[in-house]
């Protein structure tokens, strides 16, 4: 084992031996248990530091030693792991209040950001060509700021975050894109994706090299989406009630709702949803895995039904813009189901029926991706390319590579020949490739295709 890990074991042992009620044999037994747990987790693919944290947390669930040890070493990151379940402790209450205050400041900043361009003559309802590509820049920097504050991000990483958001602002505004331009739509979609990965850098800034932290960001993304949808549904109810009550007394709130409530609320909700994930993780952590297990078999059946229908119909696939978006969304949802199930899976659990079901889902998606790619390349070779077709081609190639290797790793996992950690490492290693492609679409496509 590494010297750092041995130092952690030594510190733990010194603390255990300082307890007068414990005999030497008790200390030996506890250390053997801790070392065995660490070895088991390392064999499963976890980094040694991560394995030590998880092992300490497991011991904390067996007795009070880990909990008390963590209290006396409050500067350690793994205190946050050990002390879960003590929401009423003074430290937890103080941190919760600070998080709430910082979240409110960041949410207000996001709400104000979308109104700031009006000071320079940009109107939300009139200048869609400006607001659409800049939409991610109004809220995501504030969400990144909140996460960076929570992670106590180093100044060098903060500088990198600022530089990336500045690059996004350049990509959104440096090109003259018409309101009907394909590149405007592509920039709007892909810049949000690129900036979300910048948020991911802020999320993992406490341990940039950890694959487990990157997988935690995938989990964060899914839970954030669930919370944002719930907030949006609640906001819709609020909007309806506002209209109804004010119109009942002869006052029309349309301007307030359209110009203030909806845009400002949508931006603030981005930060609020992130705070909810950080503060109330146990709520969604119980729901999201259930949803994943519910929709995985449903999507598998839907994809198999499509492949069977395609085989009997004998026709081709429509690769016009709307169809391309639909197929890409379908494949991305499949990948999201896979990623989220991986992030929520016990790394030590043996392969089961659900893993086989996921393998069927990935293989079905892989077959559909191949069919779409054949149609796209055929249309490009016959009619030439457009920004939409080029973007779809690149994204389907990325999906093909990810799905193909994921299928191979899942096949090995089901047969007991591939450790689960290999599948997790592959997915987290692939995230930067997606981020780079999103930046390419934003920064390179408009000049290459002449701002079409």
């Amino acid at each position: 084992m590494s010297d750092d890990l041995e130092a952690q074991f030594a510190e733990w042992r010194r603390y255990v031996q300082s307890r007068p009620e414990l005999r030497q044999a008790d200390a030996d037994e506890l250390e053997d248990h801790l070392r065995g747990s660490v070895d088991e987790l390392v064999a499963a693919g976890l980094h040694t530091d991560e394995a030590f944290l998880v092992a300490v947390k497991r011991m904390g669930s067996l007795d009070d030693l880990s909990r008390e040890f963590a209290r006396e070493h409050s500067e350690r990151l793994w205190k946050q792991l050990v002390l879960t379940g003590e929401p009423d402790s003074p430290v937890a209450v103080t941190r919760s209040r600070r998080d709430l205050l910082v979240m409110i400041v960041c949410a207000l900043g996001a709400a104000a950001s979308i109104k700031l361009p009006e000071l320079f003559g940009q109107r939300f309802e009139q200048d869609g060509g400006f607001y659409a590509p800049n939409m991610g820049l109004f809220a995501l920097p504030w969400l990144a700021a909140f996460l960076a504050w929570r992670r106590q991000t180093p100044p060098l990483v903060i500088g990198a975050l600022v530089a990336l958001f500045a690059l996004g602002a350049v990509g959104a505004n440096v090109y003259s894109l018409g309101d009907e331009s394909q590149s405007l739509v592509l920039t709007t979609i892909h810049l949000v994706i690129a900036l979300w990965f910048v948020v991911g850098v802020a999320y993992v800034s406490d341990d940039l090299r950890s694959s487990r932290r990157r997988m935690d960001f995938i989990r964060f993304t899914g839970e954030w989406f669930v919370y944002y949808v719930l907030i949006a549904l609640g906001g819709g109810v609020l909007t309806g009630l506002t209209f109804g009550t004010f119109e009942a007394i002869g006052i029309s709130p349309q301007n307030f709702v359209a110009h203030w409530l909806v845009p400002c609320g949508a931006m603030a909700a981005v930060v609020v949803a992130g705070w909810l994930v950080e503060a109330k993780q146990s709520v969604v952590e119980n729901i999201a895995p259930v949803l994943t297990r519910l929709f995985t078999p449903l999507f598998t059946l839907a994809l198999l039904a499509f492949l069977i229908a395609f085989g009997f119909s004998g026709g081709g696939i429509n690769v016009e813009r709307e169809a391309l978006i639909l197929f890409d969304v379908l494949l991305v949802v499949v990948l999201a189901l896979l990623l989220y199930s991986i992030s929520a899976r016990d790394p030590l659990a043996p392969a089961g029926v659900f893993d086989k079901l996921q393998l069927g889902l990935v293989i079905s998606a892989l077959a559909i991706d191949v069919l779409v790619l054949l149609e796209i390349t055929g249309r490009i070779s016959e009619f030439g390319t457009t920004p939409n077709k080029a973007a779809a081609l690149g994204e389907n190639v990325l999906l093909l590579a990810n799905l193909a290797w994921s299928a191979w790793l899942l096949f090995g996992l089901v047969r007991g020949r591939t450790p689960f950690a290999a599948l997790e490492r592959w997915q987290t290693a692939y995230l930067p490739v997606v981020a780079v492609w999103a930046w390419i679409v934003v920064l390179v496509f408009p000049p290459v295709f002449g701002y079409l």
Side-chain angles (χ1 to χ4, degrees):
M1 292 190 178
S2 66
D3 293 338
D4 291 341
L5 186 57
E6 286 297 335
Q8 290 177 308
F9 276 122
E11 187 173 3
W12 166 259
R13 186 175 181 85
R14 283 194 298 271
Y15 176 79
V16 171
Q17 290 176 331
S18 69
R19 300 296 298 266
E21 69 271 22
L22 293 178
R23 297 173 297 176
Q24 182 69 29
D26 296 327
D28 292 339
E29 182 179 355
L30 284 171
E31 184 176 2
D32 287 342
H33 176 77
L34 182 61
R35 287 182 179 273
S37 183
V38 169
D39 290 340
E40 184 181 14
L41 292 167
V42 170
L46 269 66
H47 189 272
T48 53
D49 290 339
E50 297 170 331
F52 186 78
L53 303 184
V54 175
V56 169
K57 182 179 180 181
R58 287 180 174 178
M59 289 194 68
S61 66
L62 298 176
D63 53 65
D64 294 330
L65 287 176
S66 295
R67 196 178 302 279
E68 294 177 11
F69 182 62
R71 284 198 189 98
E72 295 188 10
H73 296 76
S74 59
E75 76 281 0
R76 285 185 173 271
L77 170 66
W78 46 274
K79 176 193 173 183
Q80 299 174 9
L81 297 177
V82 178
L83 292 183
T84 54
E86 284 194 343
D88 297 328
S89 67
V91 173
V93 171
T94 301
R95 182 57 186 264
S96 177
R97 289 175 179 173
R98 290 177 180 175
D99 286 352
L100 178 61
L101 178 61
V102 174
M103 181 276 292
I104 291 174
V105 171
C106 291
L108 291 175
S113 294
I114 198 169
K115 303 299 294 182
L116 188 62
E118 292 188 3
L119 299 177
F120 302 93
Q122 301 287 347
R123 300 300 177 194
F124 184 76
E125 66 277 6
Q126 299 173 354
D127 299 302
F130 167 79
Y131 278 93
N134 284 282
M135 195 61 67
L137 291 163
F138 297 133
L140 294 183
W142 294 99
L143 176 57
F146 170 71
L147 294 173
W149 180 85
R150 275 186 57 86
R151 304 295 187 272
Q152 299 181 351
T153 303
L156 185 62
V157 179
I158 292 177
L161 294 174
V162 172
L164 288 171
F165 279 116
L167 181 62
V170 171
N173 298 286
V174 71
Y175 303 121
S176 300
L177 303 176
D179 290 346
E180 302 299 324
S181 168
Q182 292 183 16
S183 294
L184 176 64
V185 177
L186 292 175
T187 297
T188 300
I189 296 172
H190 289 81
L191 185 56
V192 171
I193 296 172
L195 295 180
W196 185 256
F197 281 104
V198 180
V199 173
V201 175
Y203 185 89
V204 304
S205 58
D206 51 349
D207 193 355
L208 290 169
R209 295 176 296 178
S210 171
S211 62
R212 193 65 193 175
R213 291 295 291 142
R214 292 193 291 271
M215 187 56 70
D216 288 341
F217 175 65
I218 294 174
R219 184 186 299 111
F220 171 86
T221 299
E223 294 170 1
W224 175 90
F225 178 77
V226 171
Y227 273 121
Y228 192 85
V229 169
L230 292 175
I231 294 173
L233 293 174
V237 174
L238 173 63
T239 301
L241 291 175
T242 302
F243 264 100
T245 53
F246 276 81
E247 287 183 344
I249 59 175
I251 299 175
S252 175
Q254 182 175 354
N255 288 335
F256 169 75
V257 170
H259 297 156
W260 289 92
L261 182 61
V262 172
C264 294
M267 295 300 102
V270 172
V271 180
V272 175
W275 169 73
L276 287 172
V277 175
E278 293 284 280
K280 308 291 183 183
Q281 288 184 0
S282 60
V283 176
V284 179
E285 283 179 352
N286 293 330
I287 299 174
V290 175
L291 294 177
T292 302
R293 289 185 173 269
L294 172 64
F295 282 103
T296 294
L298 294 177
F299 269 88
T300 304
L301 290 174
L303 296 186
L304 288 174
F306 171 82
L307 290 172
I308 294 171
F310 177 82
F312 279 103
S313 67
I317 297 177
N318 179 15
V319 290
E320 296 304 320
R321 175 179 170 180
E322 292 75 12
L324 287 177
I325 294 174
L326 178 62
F327 277 105
D328 284 346
V329 169
L330 176 64
L331 295 173
V332 168
V333 169
V334 170
L335 185 59
L337 287 172
L338 174 64
L339 288 174
Y340 201 82
S341 63
I342 291 173
S343 69
R345 189 184 190 276
D346 183 356
L348 301 180
V353 175
F354 187 73
D355 297 297
K356 297 177 182 178
L357 188 62
Q358 281 189 312
L359 177 59
L361 175 66
V362 172
I363 292 176
S364 300
L366 184 61
I368 293 176
D369 194 12
V370 170
L371 294 174
V372 173
L373 272 173
L374 291 175
E375 292 289 341
I376 294 174
T377 53
R379 290 295 183 92
I380 290 177
S381 61
E382 184 176 357
F383 301 107
T385 188
T386 64
N388 283 335
K389 290 179 181 177
L393 179 64
E395 285 152 13
N396 279 275
V397 168
L398 291 178
L399 286 168
L400 179 70
N402 197 333
L403 291 171
W405 194 245
S406 297
W408 175 254
L409 292 175
L410 277 170
F411 181 70
L413 178 67
V414 168
R415 298 189 65 186
R417 296 181 178 180
T418 302
F420 170 76
L423 183 60
E424 184 179 74
R425 283 194 298 268
W426 162 250
Q427 298 298 346
T428 57
Y430 207 75
L431 293 178
V433 178
V434 179
V436 169
W437 172 252
W439 283 110
I440 290 174
V441 173
V442 171
L443 299 174
V444 178
F445 269 40
V448 167
F449 289 98
Y451 312 120
L452 293 175

